[in-house]
């Protein structure tokens, strides 16, 4: 399963690689990291032409230039079958409402419970 993490904080790369090291080593999951919404959209455009493309996006909401909610709206318009989980450090009702309105498949609060996240991710592959 190929998953893209979109976050302007570059330390998420090490965090996800550490928390999923067993699953990565076993070939159960492959991560791609994008550090802006623009980078994520460019990658998705290139990936959409391939057979083994990204099936899930984990996106932060608060990012410069294009925020995660705008990214979500664009993804759901251009790649409607792609699953998107929004991740936020803020318990903002408006962000939650907009995430639901724009088609988010899940809404996760930071700090991320990685055991729960793993369960949600791997349940996608069985549905």
């Amino acid at each position: 399963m190929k998953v893209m993490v979109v976050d302007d904080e570059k330390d998420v790369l090490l965090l996800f690689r550490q928390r999923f090291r067993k699953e990565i080593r076993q070939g159960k999951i492959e991560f791609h990291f994008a550090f802006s919404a623009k980078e994520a959209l460019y990658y998705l455009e290139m990936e959409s032409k391939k057979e083994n493309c990204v099936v899930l996006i984990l996106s932060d909401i608060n990012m410069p230039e294009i925020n995660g909610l705008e990214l979500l709206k664009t993804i759901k318009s251009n790649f409607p079958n792609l699953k998107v989980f929004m991740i936020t450090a803020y318990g903002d009702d408006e962000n939650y409402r907009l995430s639901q309105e724009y088609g988010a498949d899940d809404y996760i609060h930071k700090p991320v419970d990685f055991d729960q996240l793993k369960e949600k991710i791997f349940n996608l592959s069985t549905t």
Side-chain angles (χ1 to χ4, degrees), residues 105-116:
D105 296 284
D106 207 336
Y107 191 86
I108 298 167
H109 291 276
K110 291 180 182 177
V112 173
D113 177 336
F114 280 92
D115 290 332
Q116 186 178 51

Side-chain angles (χ1 to χ4, degrees), residues 61 69 72 86 95-104 107:
I61 290 179
L69 293 171
L72 169 63
M86 302 307 296
N95 281 344
Y96 177 77
R97 185 188 69 73
L98 287 172
S99 291
Q100 297 305 300
E101 183 181 318
Y102 297 162
Y107 191 86

Side-chain angles (χ1 to χ4, degrees), residues 8 20 28 32 36 43 51-52 57 63 96 122 124:
D8 60 311
F20 284 87
K28 292 182 179 179
H32 178 78
S36 71
Y43 182 81
E51 221 172 276
N52 180 26
I57 304 285
M63 295 185 291
Y96 177 77
F122 292 116
L124 285 177

Side-chain angles (χ1 to χ4, degrees), residues 6-97:
V6 185
D7 197 318
D8 60 311
E9 299 290 329
K10 295 192 190 278
D11 59 345
V12 299
L13 186 146
L14 293 174
L15 179 63
F16 274 82
R17 285 187 176 160
Q18 178 187 45
R19 295 299 185 113
F20 284 87
R21 71 178 168 268
K22 178 180 158 191
E23 293 82 2
I24 292 169
R25 194 172 44 244
Q26 293 172 342
K28 292 182 179 179
I29 195 164
E30 177 186 332
F31 284 102
H32 178 78
F33 296 88
F35 301 107
S36 71
K38 284 182 181 178
E39 185 181 335
L41 291 170
Y42 177 79
Y43 182 81
L44 287 174
E45 195 58 47
M46 297 298 105
E47 276 288 292
S48 67
K49 296 166 178 60
K50 297 179 183 174
E51 221 172 276
N52 180 26
C53 56
V54 170
V55 296
L56 172 64
I57 304 285
L58 303 174
S59 178
D60 189 29
I61 290 179
N62 293 312
M63 295 185 291
E65 293 183 43
I66 302 170
N67 70 33
L69 293 171
E70 290 301 314
L71 175 62
L72 169 63
K73 193 191 305 186
T74 302
I75 289 170
K76 288 298 184 170
S77 286
N78 297 324
F79 310 95
N81 295 325
L82 192 55
K83 301 289 184 193
V84 182
F85 292 1
M86 302 307 296
I87 301 176
T88 184
Y90 307 100
D92 182 344
D93 289 340
E94 183 64 7
N95 281 344
Y96 177 77
R97 185 188 69 73

